[in-house]
Amino acid sequence: MANILLRYVVPAIAFLCGVVPVAALEPPVLKPSDFVDPQTVVMNTPHSFDALRSRLEAAVKANGFFVVTRASASAGAASRGLTIPGNLVVGVYRNDYAVRMLKASVAAGIEAPLRFYVTGNGDGTATLSYRPPTRTFAPYGASALTAMAGELDAVWAKIAADAAAPGK
């Protein structure tokens, strides 16, 4: 009877109460095939989650853009007393691009800000992922938007490369 309680009842109650064992949250190292869009860029880095977060924010600034949003499941979990692997979505944009985007397609406004995704790996490193702006804006079919997204692809690649580069 005690074995049944420990094996089935206690985990079921924990699940229903929103308590998830940390071991169940051990993250795999992401790869492009994990994403809906197979052209998502995935960069495994030697950096820790905190270091990659800082490096990404510095790279955004160095490339003339701004971090305009941050959403972190791990920070939210921590506020509830839970510890999960690092997880952060960073929204990045600049107003001159926002104005151009809206001029080309108001509907495309839902895609802004464009995002980078930082995830902690089980081995203490972190992964940086992003969808190229041309992929994000492709469904809208506006030529001015496609041209702008092409410009942003180069900037996003540079931001990511700067953030992921080995070293300090």
Side-chain angles (χ1 to χ4, degrees):
M1 178 72 164
N3 194 22
I4 291 172
L5 283 173
L6 290 175
R7 187 169 192 161
Y8 300 106
V9 176
V10 172
I13 291 170
F15 176 77
L16 291 173
C17 293
V19 178
V20 180
V22 173
L25 297 173
E26 184 65 30
V29 175
L30 293 174
K31 55 191 177 304
S33 61
D34 292 328
F35 293 90
V36 172
D37 184 342
Q39 291 187 20
T40 299
V41 176
V42 179
M43 303 171 79
N44 296 313
T45 77
H47 308 295
S48 69
F49 174 81
D50 289 333
L52 185 56
R53 178 187 62 221
S54 295
R55 292 174 63 88
L56 175 61
E57 292 185 3
V60 167
K61 184 176 181 180
N63 283 279
F65 278 75
F66 302 96
V67 171
V68 296
T69 61
R70 289 178 193 85
S72 174
S74 51
S79 74
R80 297 178 38 233
L82 300 172
T83 300
I84 65 170
N87 185 291
L88 176 68
V89 177
V90 179
V92 175
Y93 223 43
R94 203 169 75 196
N95 186 257
D96 56 321
Y97 282 96
V99 170
R100 288 174 61 194
M101 173 194 65
L102 293 171
K103 184 175 180 185
S105 170
V106 171
I110 199 166
E111 307 296 349
L114 296 170
R115 297 170 304 276
F116 287 94
Y117 187 36
V118 180
T119 50
N121 301 322
D123 64 358
T125 63
T127 299
L128 179 62
S129 306
Y130 70 95
R131 183 176 301 147
T134 50
R135 296 294 294 175
T136 301
F137 291 125
Y140 297 94
S143 60
L145 191 57
T146 300
M148 183 194 81
E151 295 170 28
L152 289 172
D153 274 0
V155 176
W156 256 235
K158 176 83 167 68
I159 290 170
D162 290 352
K168 289 185 180 181

